[in-house]
CSV table of all heavy atoms in Angstrom, one decimal:
chain,number,residue,atom,x,y,z
A,1,MET,N,137.5,104.0,112.0
A,1,MET,CA,137.8,102.7,112.6
A,1,MET,C,136.7,101.9,112.6
A,1,MET,O,135.5,102.3,112.9
A,1,MET,CB,138.4,103.0,114.1
A,1,MET,CG,138.6,101.7,114.8
A,1,MET,SD,139.2,102.0,116.5
A,1,MET,CE,140.8,102.8,116.2
A,2,ALA,N,136.8,100.7,112.2
A,2,ALA,CA,135.6,99.7,112.1
A,2,ALA,C,135.4,99.0,113.5
A,2,ALA,O,136.4,98.8,114.2
A,2,ALA,CB,135.9,98.7,111.1
A,3,MET,N,134.2,98.7,113.8
A,3,MET,CA,133.8,98.1,115.1
A,3,MET,C,133.7,96.6,114.8
A,3,MET,O,133.0,96.2,113.9
A,3,MET,CB,132.6,98.7,115.7
A,3,MET,CG,132.3,98.0,117.1
A,3,MET,SD,130.8,98.8,117.7
A,3,MET,CE,131.7,100.0,118.8
A,4,ILE,N,134.3,95.7,115.5
A,4,ILE,CA,134.2,94.3,115.3
A,4,ILE,C,133.4,93.7,116.4
A,4,ILE,O,133.6,93.9,117.6
A,4,ILE,CB,135.6,93.7,115.4
A,4,ILE,CG1,136.5,94.3,114.1
A,4,ILE,CG2,135.6,92.1,115.1
A,4,ILE,CD1,137.9,93.8,114.2
A,5,ASP,N,132.4,93.0,116.0
A,5,ASP,CA,131.5,92.3,117.0
A,5,ASP,C,132.1,90.9,117.2
A,5,ASP,O,132.0,90.1,116.2
A,5,ASP,CB,130.1,92.4,116.5
A,5,ASP,CG,129.1,91.8,117.5
A,5,ASP,OD1,129.5,91.5,118.6
A,5,ASP,OD2,128.1,91.3,117.1
A,6,ARG,N,132.5,90.6,118.4
A,6,ARG,CA,133.1,89.2,118.6
A,6,ARG,C,132.2,88.4,119.5
A,6,ARG,O,132.7,87.3,120.0
A,6,ARG,CB,134.4,89.4,119.3
A,6,ARG,CG,135.6,90.0,118.4
A,6,ARG,CD,136.9,90.0,119.1
A,6,ARG,NE,137.8,90.7,118.2
A,6,ARG,CZ,138.7,90.0,117.4
A,6,ARG,NH1,138.8,88.7,117.4
A,6,ARG,NH2,139.5,90.7,116.7
A,7,THR,N,131.0,88.8,119.7
A,7,THR,CA,130.1,87.8,120.4
A,7,THR,C,129.5,86.8,119.5
A,7,THR,O,129.2,87.0,118.4
A,7,THR,CB,128.9,88.8,120.9
A,7,THR,OG1,128.2,89.4,119.9
A,7,THR,CG2,129.3,89.8,121.9
A,8,ARG,N,129.5,85.6,120.1
A,8,ARG,CA,129.0,84.4,119.3
A,8,ARG,C,128.0,83.8,120.3
A,8,ARG,O,128.2,83.8,121.4
A,8,ARG,CB,130.1,83.5,119.0
A,8,ARG,CG,131.1,84.0,118.0
A,8,ARG,CD,132.2,83.1,117.7
A,8,ARG,NE,133.0,82.8,119.0
A,8,ARG,CZ,134.1,82.1,119.0
A,8,ARG,NH1,134.5,81.6,117.9
A,8,ARG,NH2,134.7,81.9,120.1
A,9,PRO,N,127.0,83.1,119.6
A,9,PRO,CA,126.1,82.4,120.5
A,9,PRO,C,126.7,81.1,121.1
A,9,PRO,O,127.8,80.7,120.6
A,9,PRO,CB,125.0,81.9,119.5
A,9,PRO,CG,125.6,82.1,118.1
A,9,PRO,CD,126.7,83.1,118.3
A,10,ALA,N,126.3,80.6,122.1
A,10,ALA,CA,126.8,79.5,122.8
A,10,ALA,C,126.6,78.3,121.9
A,10,ALA,O,125.8,78.2,121.1
A,10,ALA,CB,126.1,79.2,124.1
A,11,PRO,N,127.6,77.4,122.0
A,11,PRO,CA,127.5,76.2,121.1
A,11,PRO,C,126.2,75.4,121.4
A,11,PRO,O,125.8,75.4,122.5
A,11,PRO,CB,128.8,75.4,121.4
A,11,PRO,CG,129.7,76.3,122.3
A,11,PRO,CD,128.8,77.4,122.8
A,12,PHE,N,125.8,74.6,120.4
A,12,PHE,CA,124.5,73.9,120.6
A,12,PHE,C,124.7,73.0,121.8
A,12,PHE,O,125.6,72.2,121.9
A,12,PHE,CB,124.4,73.1,119.2
A,12,PHE,CG,123.1,72.3,119.3
A,12,PHE,CD1,121.9,73.0,119.2
A,12,PHE,CD2,123.1,71.0,119.5
A,12,PHE,CE1,120.6,72.2,119.3
A,12,PHE,CE2,121.9,70.2,119.6
A,12,PHE,CZ,120.7,70.9,119.4
A,13,GLY,N,123.7,73.1,122.6
A,13,GLY,CA,123.6,72.2,123.8
A,13,GLY,C,124.4,72.7,125.0
A,13,GLY,O,124.3,72.1,126.1
A,14,ALA,N,125.1,73.7,125.0
A,14,ALA,CA,125.9,74.2,126.0
A,14,ALA,C,125.1,74.6,127.2
A,14,ALA,O,125.4,74.4,128.3
A,14,ALA,CB,126.9,75.3,125.6
A,15,ILE,N,124.0,75.4,126.9
A,15,ILE,CA,123.1,75.8,127.9
A,15,ILE,C,122.4,74.7,128.5
A,15,ILE,O,122.4,74.7,129.8
A,15,ILE,CB,122.2,76.9,127.3
A,15,ILE,CG1,122.8,78.0,126.8
A,15,ILE,CG2,121.1,77.1,128.2
A,15,ILE,CD1,122.0,79.1,126.1
A,16,THR,N,121.9,73.7,127.8
A,16,THR,CA,121.4,72.4,128.4
A,16,THR,C,122.4,71.8,129.3
A,16,THR,O,122.0,71.4,130.4
A,16,THR,CB,120.9,71.6,127.3
A,16,THR,OG1,120.0,72.3,126.5
A,16,THR,CG2,120.1,70.4,127.9
A,17,VAL,N,123.5,71.7,128.9
A,17,VAL,CA,124.5,70.9,129.8
A,17,VAL,C,124.9,71.7,131.0
A,17,VAL,O,124.9,71.1,132.2
A,17,VAL,CB,125.9,70.7,128.9
A,17,VAL,CG1,127.0,70.3,129.8
A,17,VAL,CG2,125.6,69.7,127.8
A,18,PHE,N,124.9,73.0,131.0
A,18,PHE,CA,125.1,73.9,132.1
A,18,PHE,C,123.9,73.7,133.1
A,18,PHE,O,124.2,73.6,134.2
A,18,PHE,CB,125.1,75.4,131.6
A,18,PHE,CG,125.3,76.3,132.8
A,18,PHE,CD1,126.5,76.4,133.5
A,18,PHE,CD2,124.2,77.1,133.2
A,18,PHE,CE1,126.6,77.3,134.7
A,18,PHE,CE2,124.3,77.9,134.2
A,18,PHE,CZ,125.5,78.0,134.9
A,19,GLN,N,122.7,73.7,132.5
A,19,GLN,CA,121.6,73.5,133.3
A,19,GLN,C,121.6,72.1,134.0
A,19,GLN,O,121.2,72.1,135.2
A,19,GLN,CB,120.3,73.8,132.6
A,19,GLN,CG,120.1,75.2,132.1
A,19,GLN,CD,118.9,75.3,131.2
A,19,GLN,OE1,118.4,74.3,130.6
A,19,GLN,NE2,118.4,76.6,131.2
A,20,ILE,N,121.9,71.2,133.4
A,20,ILE,CA,122.1,69.8,133.9
A,20,ILE,C,123.1,69.7,135.1
A,20,ILE,O,122.9,69.2,136.2
A,20,ILE,CB,122.2,68.6,132.9
A,20,ILE,CG1,121.0,68.7,132.0
A,20,ILE,CG2,122.6,67.4,133.5
A,20,ILE,CD1,121.2,67.8,130.7
A,21,VAL,N,124.3,70.3,134.8
A,21,VAL,CA,125.3,70.3,135.8
A,21,VAL,C,124.9,71.1,137.0
A,21,VAL,O,125.1,70.7,138.1
A,21,VAL,CB,126.7,70.9,135.2
A,21,VAL,CG1,127.7,71.1,136.1
A,21,VAL,CG2,127.2,69.9,134.0
A,22,SER,N,124.2,72.3,136.8
A,22,SER,CA,123.8,73.1,137.9
A,22,SER,C,122.7,72.4,138.8
A,22,SER,O,122.7,72.5,139.9
A,22,SER,CB,123.2,74.4,137.4
A,22,SER,OG,124.1,75.2,136.7
A,23,ALA,N,121.9,71.6,138.1
A,23,ALA,CA,120.9,70.8,138.9
A,23,ALA,C,121.5,69.8,139.7
A,23,ALA,O,121.2,69.5,140.8
A,23,ALA,CB,119.8,70.2,137.8
A,24,PHE,N,122.5,68.9,139.1
A,24,PHE,CA,123.2,68.1,139.9
A,24,PHE,C,124.0,68.7,141.1
A,24,PHE,O,124.1,68.2,142.1
A,24,PHE,CB,124.2,67.3,139.0
A,24,PHE,CG,123.5,66.1,138.3
A,24,PHE,CD1,123.4,66.1,137.0
A,24,PHE,CD2,122.9,65.1,139.1
A,24,PHE,CE1,122.7,65.0,136.3
A,24,PHE,CE2,122.3,64.0,138.3
A,24,PHE,CZ,122.1,64.1,137.0
A,25,ALA,N,124.7,69.9,140.8
A,25,ALA,CA,125.4,70.5,141.9
A,25,ALA,C,124.3,71.0,143.0
A,25,ALA,O,124.8,70.9,144.2
A,25,ALA,CB,126.0,71.8,141.3
A,26,SER,N,123.3,71.4,142.5
A,26,SER,CA,122.1,71.8,143.6
A,26,SER,C,121.7,70.6,144.5
A,26,SER,O,121.6,70.7,145.6
A,26,SER,CB,121.0,72.4,142.9
A,26,SER,OG,120.0,72.8,143.8
A,27,LEU,N,121.6,69.5,143.7
A,27,LEU,CA,121.1,68.3,144.5
A,27,LEU,C,122.3,67.8,145.5
A,27,LEU,O,122.0,67.4,146.6
A,27,LEU,CB,120.8,67.1,143.5
A,27,LEU,CG,119.5,67.3,142.8
A,27,LEU,CD1,119.5,66.1,141.7
A,27,LEU,CD2,118.4,67.1,143.7
A,28,TYR,N,123.5,67.9,145.1
A,28,TYR,CA,124.7,67.6,145.8
A,28,TYR,C,124.8,68.4,147.1
A,28,TYR,O,125.0,68.0,148.2
A,28,TYR,CB,125.9,67.6,145.1
A,28,TYR,CG,127.1,67.1,145.8
A,28,TYR,CD1,127.3,65.9,146.1
A,28,TYR,CD2,128.1,68.0,146.0
A,28,TYR,CE1,128.5,65.5,146.9
A,28,TYR,CE2,129.2,67.8,146.8
A,28,TYR,CZ,129.4,66.5,147.2
A,28,TYR,OH,130.6,66.2,147.9
A,29,ASP,N,124.6,69.7,146.8
A,29,ASP,CA,124.7,70.7,148.0
A,29,ASP,C,123.5,70.4,149.0
A,29,ASP,O,123.8,70.6,150.1
A,29,ASP,CB,124.6,72.1,147.5
A,29,ASP,CG,125.8,72.6,146.7
A,29,ASP,OD1,126.9,71.9,146.8
A,29,ASP,OD2,125.7,73.5,146.0
A,30,GLY,N,122.4,70.1,148.5
A,30,GLY,CA,121.2,69.8,149.4
A,30,GLY,C,121.5,68.6,150.2
A,30,GLY,O,121.3,68.4,151.4
A,31,PHE,N,122.1,67.6,149.4
A,31,PHE,CA,122.4,66.3,150.2
A,31,PHE,C,123.5,66.6,151.3
A,31,PHE,O,123.3,66.1,152.4
A,31,PHE,CB,122.9,65.3,149.2
A,31,PHE,CG,123.5,64.0,149.8
A,31,PHE,CD1,122.5,63.0,150.3
A,31,PHE,CD2,124.8,63.8,149.9
A,31,PHE,CE1,123.0,61.9,150.9
A,31,PHE,CE2,125.2,62.7,150.5
A,31,PHE,CZ,124.4,61.7,150.9
A,32,ARG,N,124.4,67.2,150.9
A,32,ARG,CA,125.5,67.6,152.0
A,32,ARG,C,124.9,68.4,153.2
A,32,ARG,O,125.3,68.2,154.3
A,32,ARG,CB,126.6,68.4,151.3
A,32,ARG,CG,127.5,67.6,150.4
A,32,ARG,CD,128.7,68.3,149.9
A,32,ARG,NE,129.5,69.0,151.0
A,32,ARG,CZ,130.4,69.8,150.9
A,32,ARG,NH1,130.7,70.2,149.7
A,32,ARG,NH2,131.1,70.4,151.8
A,33,SER,N,124.0,69.4,152.8
A,33,SER,CA,123.4,70.1,153.9
A,33,SER,C,122.6,69.2,154.9
A,33,SER,O,122.6,69.3,156.1
A,33,SER,CB,122.4,71.2,153.4
A,33,SER,OG,123.3,72.1,152.6
A,34,ARG,N,121.9,68.3,154.3
A,34,ARG,CA,121.1,67.4,155.2
A,34,ARG,C,121.9,66.5,156.0
A,34,ARG,O,121.7,66.3,157.1
A,34,ARG,CB,120.0,66.5,154.2
A,34,ARG,CG,118.9,67.3,153.7
A,34,ARG,CD,117.9,66.4,153.2
A,34,ARG,NE,118.4,65.7,151.9
A,34,ARG,CZ,118.5,66.1,150.8
A,34,ARG,NH1,118.0,67.4,150.5
A,34,ARG,NH2,118.9,65.5,149.7
A,35,MET,N,123.0,66.0,155.3
A,35,MET,CA,123.9,65.1,156.1
A,35,MET,C,124.6,65.9,157.3
A,35,MET,O,124.8,65.4,158.3
A,35,MET,CB,125.0,64.6,155.2
A,35,MET,CG,124.5,63.6,154.1
A,35,MET,SD,123.6,62.2,154.9
A,35,MET,CE,124.9,61.3,155.7
A,36,ALA,N,124.9,67.1,157.1
A,36,ALA,CA,125.5,67.9,158.1
A,36,ALA,C,124.6,68.2,159.1
A,36,ALA,O,124.9,68.2,160.4
A,36,ALA,CB,126.0,69.3,157.5
A,37,ALA,N,123.3,68.5,158.8
A,37,ALA,CA,122.2,68.7,159.9
A,37,ALA,C,122.0,67.4,160.7
A,37,ALA,O,121.8,67.5,161.9
A,37,ALA,CB,121.0,69.1,159.2
A,38,ARG,N,122.0,66.2,160.0
A,38,ARG,CA,121.9,64.9,160.7
A,38,ARG,C,123.0,64.7,161.6
A,38,ARG,O,122.9,64.3,162.8
A,38,ARG,CB,121.7,63.9,159.7
A,38,ARG,CG,120.4,63.9,159.0
A,38,ARG,CD,120.3,62.8,158.0
A,38,ARG,NE,120.3,61.4,158.7
A,38,ARG,CZ,120.6,60.2,158.2
A,38,ARG,NH1,120.7,60.2,157.0
A,38,ARG,NH2,120.6,59.2,158.8
A,39,ARG,N,124.2,65.0,161.3
A,39,ARG,CA,125.5,64.8,162.0
A,39,ARG,C,125.4,65.8,163.3
A,39,ARG,O,125.6,65.3,164.4
A,39,ARG,CB,126.8,65.0,161.3
A,39,ARG,CG,128.0,64.8,162.0
A,39,ARG,CD,129.2,65.0,161.0
A,39,ARG,NE,129.2,65.9,160.1
A,39,ARG,CZ,129.1,65.8,158.7
A,39,ARG,NH1,129.0,64.6,158.3
A,39,ARG,NH2,129.0,66.8,157.9
A,40,THR,N,125.0,67.0,163.1
A,40,THR,CA,124.8,68.0,164.2
A,40,THR,C,123.8,67.4,165.2
A,40,THR,O,124.1,67.5,166.4
A,40,THR,CB,124.5,69.3,163.6
A,40,THR,OG1,125.4,69.7,162.7
A,40,THR,CG2,124.3,70.3,164.7
A,41,ALA,N,122.7,67.0,164.7
A,41,ALA,CA,121.6,66.6,165.6
A,41,ALA,C,122.1,65.3,166.4
A,41,ALA,O,121.8,65.2,167.6
A,41,ALA,CB,120.4,66.2,164.8
A,42,ARG,N,122.8,64.4,165.7
A,42,ARG,CA,123.3,63.3,166.4
A,42,ARG,C,124.2,63.6,167.5
A,42,ARG,O,124.3,63.1,168.6
A,42,ARG,CB,124.0,62.3,165.4
A,42,ARG,CG,124.3,61.0,165.9
A,42,ARG,CD,124.9,60.0,164.8
A,42,ARG,NE,126.1,60.5,164.2
A,42,ARG,CZ,126.1,60.8,162.9
A,42,ARG,NH1,124.9,60.6,162.1
A,42,ARG,NH2,127.1,61.3,162.3
A,43,VAL,N,125.2,64.6,167.2
A,43,VAL,CA,126.2,65.0,168.3
A,43,VAL,C,125.5,65.7,169.4
A,43,VAL,O,125.8,65.4,170.6
A,43,VAL,CB,127.2,65.9,167.7
A,43,VAL,CG1,128.1,66.6,168.6
A,43,VAL,CG2,128.1,65.1,166.7
A,44,LEU,N,124.4,66.6,169.1
A,44,LEU,CA,123.8,67.3,170.2
A,44,LEU,C,122.9,66.3,170.9
A,44,LEU,O,122.8,66.5,172.2
A,44,LEU,CB,123.0,68.4,169.5
A,44,LEU,CG,123.6,69.6,169.0
A,44,LEU,CD1,122.7,70.5,168.3
A,44,LEU,CD2,124.4,70.3,170.1
A,45,SER,N,122.4,65.3,170.4
A,45,SER,CA,121.5,64.4,171.1
A,45,SER,C,122.5,63.5,172.0
A,45,SER,O,121.9,63.0,173.1
A,45,SER,CB,120.9,63.3,170.1
A,45,SER,OG,119.9,64.0,169.3
A,46,ALA,N,123.6,63.4,171.8
A,46,ALA,CA,124.6,62.6,172.6
A,46,ALA,C,125.0,63.5,173.8
A,46,ALA,O,125.5,62.9,174.9
A,46,ALA,CB,125.8,62.2,171.8
A,47,LEU,N,124.8,64.7,173.9
A,47,LEU,CA,125.1,65.5,175.0
A,47,LEU,C,124.1,65.3,176.2
A,47,LEU,O,122.9,65.0,175.9
A,47,LEU,CB,125.1,67.1,174.7
A,47,LEU,CG,126.2,67.5,173.6
A,47,LEU,CD1,126.0,69.0,173.4
A,47,LEU,CD2,127.6,67.1,174.1
A,48,SER,N,124.5,65.6,177.3
A,48,SER,CA,123.6,65.5,178.5
A,48,SER,C,122.8,66.8,178.6
A,48,SER,O,123.0,67.7,178.0
A,48,SER,CB,124.4,65.4,179.8
A,48,SER,OG,125.2,66.6,180.1
A,49,ASP,N,121.8,66.7,179.4
A,49,ASP,CA,120.9,68.0,179.6
A,49,ASP,C,121.7,69.1,180.1
A,49,ASP,O,121.5,70.2,179.8
A,49,ASP,CB,119.7,67.7,180.4
A,49,ASP,CG,118.7,66.7,179.8
A,49,ASP,OD1,118.7,66.6,178.5
A,49,ASP,OD2,118.0,66.0,180.5
A,50,ARG,N,122.6,68.8,181.0
A,50,ARG,CA,123.5,69.8,181.5
A,50,ARG,C,124.4,70.5,180.5
A,50,ARG,O,124.6,71.7,180.5
A,50,ARG,CB,124.3,69.3,182.7
A,50,ARG,CG,125.3,70.2,183.3
A,50,ARG,CD,124.6,71.3,184.2
A,50,ARG,NE,125.7,72.1,184.7
A,50,ARG,CZ,125.5,73.3,184.9
A,50,ARG,NH1,124.4,74.0,184.6
A,50,ARG,NH2,126.5,74.1,185.3
A,51,GLN,N,125.0,69.7,179.7
A,51,GLN,CA,125.8,70.2,178.7
A,51,GLN,C,125.0,71.1,177.6
A,51,GLN,O,125.5,72.1,177.1
A,51,GLN,CB,126.5,69.1,177.9
A,51,GLN,CG,127.5,68.4,178.8
A,51,GLN,CD,128.1,67.1,178.0
A,51,GLN,OE1,127.3,66.4,177.5
A,51,GLN,NE2,129.3,66.8,178.2
A,52,LEU,N,123.8,70.6,177.3
A,52,LEU,CA,122.9,71.4,176.4
A,52,LEU,C,122.6,72.8,176.9
A,52,LEU,O,122.6,73.8,176.3
A,52,LEU,CB,121.7,70.5,176.1
A,52,LEU,CG,121.8,69.4,175.1
A,52,LEU,CD1,120.6,68.6,175.0
A,52,LEU,CD2,122.3,69.9,173.7
A,53,GLU,N,122.3,72.7,178.2
A,53,GLU,CA,122.0,73.9,179.0
A,53,GLU,C,123.1,74.8,179.0
A,53,GLU,O,123.0,76.1,178.8
A,53,GLU,CB,121.7,73.6,180.5
A,53,GLU,CG,121.2,74.9,181.2
A,53,GLU,CD,120.9,74.5,182.7
A,53,GLU,OE1,120.4,73.4,182.9
A,53,GLU,OE2,121.1,75.3,183.5
A,54,ASP,N,124.4,74.4,179.0
A,54,ASP,CA,125.6,75.2,179.0
A,54,ASP,C,125.7,76.0,177.7
A,54,ASP,O,126.2,77.1,177.6
A,54,ASP,CB,126.8,74.4,179.2
A,54,ASP,CG,127.0,74.0,180.6
A,54,ASP,OD1,126.4,74.5,181.5
A,54,ASP,OD2,127.9,73.0,180.8
A,55,VAL,N,125.2,75.4,176.6
A,55,VAL,CA,125.3,76.1,175.3
A,55,VAL,C,124.0,76.8,174.9
A,55,VAL,O,123.8,77.2,173.9
A,55,VAL,CB,125.6,75.1,174.1
A,55,VAL,CG1,127.1,74.6,174.3
A,55,VAL,CG2,124.7,73.9,174.0
A,56,GLY,N,123.0,76.7,175.9
A,56,GLY,CA,121.8,77.5,175.7
A,56,GLY,C,120.7,76.8,174.8
A,56,GLY,O,119.8,77.3,174.3
A,57,LEU,N,120.8,75.4,174.9
A,57,LEU,CA,119.8,74.5,174.2
A,57,LEU,C,119.1,73.7,175.2
A,57,LEU,O,119.6,73.4,176.3
A,57,LEU,CB,120.5,73.7,173.2
A,57,LEU,CG,121.0,74.5,172.0
A,57,LEU,CD1,121.9,73.5,171.0
A,57,LEU,CD2,120.0,75.2,171.1
A,58,THR,N,117.8,73.2,174.8
A,58,THR,CA,117.1,72.2,175.4
A,58,THR,C,117.0,70.9,174.6
A,58,THR,O,117.3,71.1,173.4
A,58,THR,CB,115.7,72.6,176.0
A,58,THR,OG1,115.0,72.9,174.8
A,58,THR,CG2,115.8,73.9,176.8
A,59,ARG,N,116.6,69.8,175.2
A,59,ARG,CA,116.4,68.6,174.5
A,59,ARG,C,115.5,68.8,173.4
A,59,ARG,O,115.5,68.4,172.3
A,59,ARG,CB,115.9,67.5,175.4
A,59,ARG,CG,115.8,66.2,174.9
A,59,ARG,CD,117.2,65.5,174.7
A,59,ARG,NE,118.1,65.5,175.7
A,59,ARG,CZ,119.4,65.3,175.5
A,59,ARG,NH1,119.8,65.0,174.3
A,59,ARG,NH2,120.2,65.3,176.5
A,60,GLY,N,114.4,69.6,173.7
A,60,GLY,CA,113.4,70.0,172.7
A,60,GLY,C,113.9,70.8,171.5
A,60,GLY,O,113.5,70.6,170.3
A,61,ASP,N,114.8,71.6,171.6
A,61,ASP,CA,115.5,72.4,170.7
A,61,ASP,C,116.2,71.5,169.7
A,61,ASP,O,116.2,71.6,168.4
A,61,ASP,CB,116.5,73.4,171.2
A,61,ASP,CG,116.0,74.5,172.0
A,61,ASP,OD1,114.7,74.8,171.8
A,61,ASP,OD2,116.6,75.0,172.9
A,62,VAL,N,116.9,70.4,170.2
A,62,VAL,CA,117.6,69.4,169.4
A,62,VAL,C,116.7,68.7,168.6
A,62,VAL,O,116.8,68.4,167.3
A,62,VAL,CB,118.5,68.5,170.3
A,62,VAL,CG1,119.0,67.4,169.4
A,62,VAL,CG2,119.5,69.2,171.1
A,63,GLU,N,115.6,68.3,169.2
A,63,GLU,CA,114.4,67.5,168.3
A,63,GLU,C,113.9,68.4,167.3
A,63,GLU,O,113.6,67.9,166.1
A,63,GLU,CB,113.4,67.0,169.2
A,63,GLU,CG,113.9,65.9,170.3
A,63,GLU,CD,112.9,65.7,171.3
A,63,GLU,OE1,111.7,66.0,171.2
A,63,GLU,OE2,113.2,64.8,172.2
A,64,ARG,N,113.7,69.7,167.5
A,64,ARG,CA,113.2,70.5,166.5
A,64,ARG,C,114.2,70.8,165.4
A,64,ARG,O,113.8,70.9,164.2
A,64,ARG,CB,112.8,71.9,167.1
A,64,ARG,CG,111.3,71.9,167.7
A,64,ARG,CD,110.9,73.3,168.2
A,64,ARG,NE,111.8,73.9,169.1
A,64,ARG,CZ,111.6,73.7,170.4
A,64,ARG,NH1,110.8,73.0,170.8
A,64,ARG,NH2,112.4,74.4,171.2
A,65,MET,N,115.4,70.8,165.7
A,65,MET,CA,116.5,71.1,164.7
A,65,MET,C,116.6,69.8,163.9
A,65,MET,O,116.8,70.0,162.6
A,65,MET,CB,117.8,71.4,165.4
A,65,MET,CG,117.9,72.8,166.1
A,65,MET,SD,119.2,72.8,167.2
A,65,MET,CE,120.6,73.1,166.0
A,66,ALA,N,116.4,68.6,164.4
A,66,ALA,CA,116.5,67.5,163.6
A,66,ALA,C,115.4,67.4,162.6
A,66,ALA,O,115.4,66.7,161.6
A,66,ALA,CB,116.6,66.2,164.5
A,67,GLU,N,114.2,67.9,163.0
A,67,GLU,CA,112.9,67.8,162.2
A,67,GLU,C,113.0,68.6,161.0
A,67,GLU,O,112.4,68.5,159.9
A,67,GLU,CB,111.7,68.0,163.0
A,67,GLU,CG,111.4,67.1,164.0
A,67,GLU,CD,110.2,67.5,164.9
A,67,GLU,OE1,109.7,68.6,164.6
A,67,GLU,OE2,109.8,66.7,165.7
A,68,ARG,N,113.8,69.7,161.1
A,68,ARG,CA,114.0,70.6,159.9
A,68,ARG,C,114.8,70.2,158.9
A,68,ARG,O,115.6,69.4,158.7
A,68,ARG,CB,114.6,72.0,160.5
A,68,ARG,CG,113.6,72.9,161.2
A,68,ARG,CD,114.1,74.3,161.3
A,68,ARG,NE,114.9,74.4,162.6
A,68,ARG,CZ,115.7,75.4,162.8
A,68,ARG,NH1,115.9,76.4,161.9
A,68,ARG,NH2,116.4,75.4,163.8
């Protein structure tokens, strides 16, 4: 029985296109993460000190989270 090798190299430029798309996806994910962190900090900043205490945070914790 003969063995058939069906592996072929990627088409010209396919790897480069994949790397570019991956870079844009990474940038987009980073942007979404930063926006979510800003939204969380904004919501937590709107809470009173008593409400923050109820969830185990202080005003300083919110400020540190916003800086990250």
